Each structure stands twice: as structure tokens, then as C-alpha cells.
Amino acid sequence: MYSGLMSTSERLIEATRELLWERGYVGTSPKAIQQLAGAGQGSMYHHFAGKPDLALAAVRRTADELRAAAAASLDGPGTAYERLAGYLLRERDVLRGCPVGRLTMDPDVIADDRLRAPVDETIDWLRGRLASIVEEGRERGELSTALVPADVAATIVATVQGGYVLARASGSPAAFDAGVRGLLALLKPSDADRG
């Protein structure tokens, strides 16, 4: 499935990421990882001490990619509102769900401090980054001064994650899209806020 240009360890990490997203930790067997990666058992254990170490590398990679994707929108040009809108409206596979959000629903990931750490760090980073943009927008007069940055950041994360859940449950991205539109309408500065 993966390019022959990828190293064996890269193929193993990517296969594990895919399987964790689809099946969760318990449903991701070493044999399934090896089959998807096109790697033998010896190769897997040459590169990783076992499934927990490989899963940790996969979770870290997933968390890093989510941060990079979010930062591409949040750190770009524009007003605070435009950057928040860019983050909320960016291209997503809504029906597939969030790979990091899905990890929070995996009891085996949450029960393991090592596996949970990159998930917690990523969510904390995202909330912090969103809050700093809201604060910046308040200071520049781009957003209402009535907004509480940490609360808005938590609301954005909850809207996105809840939107994924509702979209998957209904088999349609409509619930996700409606949540994003509603949140953007609430965040949009009014003329009174600007003047």
C-alpha cells in the first residue's frame, strides 16, 4: 500500500496511524500493521520494541500533523476573525473524523500515560493558540472585548470535535458545517464592536 520509497520504519508508522484511526488500539494488531506496511515481523521488531512503541510513534506523528495543519491556518495572514475562520473552514475529511479526537475516545490510549501525552499536548496547544488569537483580536478591536479567550478557544475545539461526531453519526457533513457557520456568526464582530 505504501510507496517503495518509504523506509520500513516509515511504512510501519503510517500503517499504524491508519489502523489506529480505523480500528483503535485494541483492534490494531501487529500482524495487521505488518500486512498493511508490507513488512515482516522481524522488520517491525528491528525498528520498534513492540506495538506500544510503534503506536506512540504513530500517535506523535498524528499529533504533529494536526498541529501543522492548524498552524497553517492560524499563523497565516489576516485578522483574528479571518484566521479563526480559516481554521474552521479548512479542508477536512469530516465523515472520517479527527484522528486526534478519535484517539481521545480510545480507552486504551487514554489509559496509557505515554500514548495520551501527545494527544493532551496537542489539544492544549490548540486551545492555547486559539485563545492567543482571540486575545490578539480583542486587543486590535477585531473581535468583541466581551469574548473570554480561553472560553472561546474551548468552544471552537468543542464545536469542531462535536461536529465530527455528529457528522459521522448522521453520515453527512451538514451537522459539522452548521456548527461552524453558527460559531462564525457568533464570533463575527458587529459594527458596534468595531466602532
Side-chain angles (χ1 to χ4, degrees), residues 121-159:
E121 290 163 8
T122 299
I123 293 169
D124 289 345
W125 171 85
L126 181 58
R127 282 194 305 245
R129 187 69 189 104
L130 291 165
S132 70
I133 291 171
V134 172
E135 181 60 35
E136 177 186 316
R138 290 178 62 209
E139 290 172 1
R140 292 182 178 174
E142 298 167 355
L143 296 173
S144 170
T145 57
L147 296 176
V148 177
D151 293 352
V152 173
T155 301
I156 293 170
V157 172
T159 298

Side-chain angles (χ1 to χ4, degrees), residues 92-112:
R92 290 176 166 86
D93 189 351
V94 174
L95 295 179
R96 194 150 186 232
C98 174
V100 172
R102 300 243 339 239
L103 290 169
T104 67
M105 294 182 271
D106 189 321
D108 295 288
V109 170
I110 296 305
D112 185 313

Side-chain angles (χ1 to χ4, degrees), residues 47-76:
H47 293 287
F48 300 95
K51 178 181 163 181
D53 286 339
L54 180 51
L56 180 59
V59 170
R60 282 185 178 148
R61 171 88 45 89
T62 297
D64 289 346
E65 283 190 8
L66 185 139
R67 283 184 192 202
S73 300
L74 297 172
D75 297 342

Side-chain angles (χ1 to χ4, degrees), residues 1-191:
M1 168 164 193
Y2 298 103
S3 163
L5 301 176
M6 288 178 122
S7 69
T8 301
S9 64
E10 287 297 310
R11 290 194 324 266
L12 287 163
I13 291 169
E14 289 303 313
T16 304
R17 290 179 62 206
E18 184 70 25
L19 291 168
L20 284 172
W21 198 354
E22 289 177 6
R23 303 179 185 181
Y25 186 82
V26 170
T28 299
S29 69
K31 183 175 181 176
I33 294 168
Q34 293 159 23
Q35 287 176 337
L36 187 58
Q41 183 176 1
S43 292
M44 181 175 157
Y45 291 103
H46 170 74
H47 293 287
F48 300 95
K51 178 181 163 181
D53 286 339
L54 180 51
L56 180 59
V59 170
R60 282 185 178 148
R61 171 88 45 89
T62 297
D64 289 346
E65 283 190 8
L66 185 139
R67 283 184 192 202
S73 300
L74 297 172
D75 297 342
T79 66
Y81 179 83
E82 290 166 346
R83 288 182 289 149
L84 295 172
Y87 168 73
L88 288 165
L89 296 170
R90 75 179 170 81
E91 188 68 31
R92 290 176 166 86
D93 189 351
V94 174
L95 295 179
R96 194 150 186 232
C98 174
V100 172
R102 300 243 339 239
L103 290 169
T104 67
M105 294 182 271
D106 189 321
D108 295 288
V109 170
I110 296 305
D112 185 313
D113 290 342
R114 286 182 59 215
L115 293 176
R116 188 181 67 244
V119 174
D120 290 343
E121 290 163 8
T122 299
I123 293 169
D124 289 345
W125 171 85
L126 181 58
R127 282 194 305 245
R129 187 69 189 104
L130 291 165
S132 70
I133 291 171
V134 172
E135 181 60 35
E136 177 186 316
R138 290 178 62 209
E139 290 172 1
R140 292 182 178 174
E142 298 167 355
L143 296 173
S144 170
T145 57
L147 296 176
V148 177
D151 293 352
V152 173
T155 301
I156 293 170
V157 172
T159 298
V160 170
Q161 293 303 318
Y164 280 127
V165 170
L166 295 174
R168 285 179 55 83
S170 68
S172 167
F176 184 95
D177 296 342
V180 166
R181 283 192 312 271
L183 182 55
L184 287 172
L186 293 171
L187 291 174
K188 189 169 182 114
S190 68
D191 290 335

